[in-house]
């Protein structure tokens, strides 16, 4: 399910960098004019978006540079994408939900095998999936963020840079 067409328009992010989809590839134009084309690998890797967060106001407020393939946000680096997952889970739409309910919202059955996703999160974190996101310590939240990254997939592809 794509939120935008195959060649999404770029959004200018911090420092003048921008990103856009070009077919299945993600194209990042850096502030210095260098163009980085990320191809192959997983969508999460191509977009520096380990949680596969959709593009939009939330992603933009958390450092997204633009919209990549499938309508997902492109972040400047993996760390920024990781912080966005944590911020999303701690936000008003998720913080009062149980881990299971949060995963149901994050990865709805219309797009995912939500039950398998929930079981994997529980197995990887060792946390009681009935606990609320708000009750998690920083270390526990970090385990949930890490588990989401595993489920979403992170396989490196190829990077081509042109001046």
């Amino acid at each position: 399910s794509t939120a935008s067409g195959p060649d999404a328009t770029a959004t200018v992010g911090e420092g003048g960098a921008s990103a856009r989809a070009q077919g299945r590839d993600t194209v990042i134009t850096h502030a210095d004019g260098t163009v980085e084309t990320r191809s192959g690998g997983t969508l999460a890797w191509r977009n520096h978006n380990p949680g596969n967060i959709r593009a939009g106001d939330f992603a933009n407020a958390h450092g997204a540079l633009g919209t990549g393939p499938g309508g997902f946000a492109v972040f400047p680096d993996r760390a920024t994408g990781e912080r966005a997952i944590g911020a999303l889970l701690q936000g008003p739409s998720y913080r009062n939900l149980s881990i299971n309910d949060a995963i149901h919202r994050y990865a709805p059955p219309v797009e995912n095998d939500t039950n398998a996703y929930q079981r994997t999160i529980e197995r990887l974190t060792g946390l009681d999936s009935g606990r609320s996101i708000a009750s998690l310590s920083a270390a526990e939240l970090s385990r949930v963020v890490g588990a989401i990254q595993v489920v979403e997939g992170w396989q490196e592809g190829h990077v081509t840079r042109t001046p």
Side-chain angles (χ1 to χ4, degrees), residues 35-129:
V35 177
E36 176 181 333
T37 301
R38 300 172 68 83
S39 57
T42 57
L43 190 61
W45 175 81
R46 289 193 306 273
N47 293 338
H48 292 296
N49 185 349
N52 284 324
I53 293 172
R54 296 241 178 237
D57 292 343
F58 174 85
N60 292 342
H62 289 85
L65 302 175
T67 304
F72 293 97
V74 179
F75 292 100
D77 51 49
R78 183 179 185 163
T80 303
E82 288 174 351
R83 285 191 299 274
I85 301 167
L88 183 67
L89 293 176
Q90 291 177 307
S93 296
Y94 287 88
R95 69 175 282 102
N96 294 320
L97 299 177
S98 68
I99 295 170
N100 258 351
D101 288 345
I103 295 303
H104 189 273
R105 176 171 285 165
Y106 192 92
V110 296
E111 298 175 354
N112 300 274
D113 181 345
T114 303
N115 290 329
Y117 203 125
Q118 291 166 325
R119 287 190 306 272
T120 302
I121 296 296
E122 188 169 28
R123 179 178 53 80
L124 292 174
T125 64
L127 297 169
D128 173 353
S129 60

Side-chain angles (χ1 to χ4, degrees), residues 119-157:
R119 287 190 306 272
T120 302
I121 296 296
E122 188 169 28
R123 179 178 53 80
L124 292 174
T125 64
L127 297 169
D128 173 353
S129 60
R131 285 185 59 195
S132 73
I133 296 293
S135 76
L136 301 177
S137 68
E140 290 168 332
L141 179 66
S142 180
R143 287 177 12 214
V144 173
V145 169
I148 286 172
Q149 293 180 69
V150 169
V151 176
E152 294 292 335
W154 187 273
Q155 172 106 31
E156 292 187 10

Side-chain angles (χ1 to χ4, degrees), residues 8-12 18-21 27 65-67:
T9 58
T11 304
V12 177
S18 64
R20 63 182 172 82
V27 179
L65 302 175
T67 304

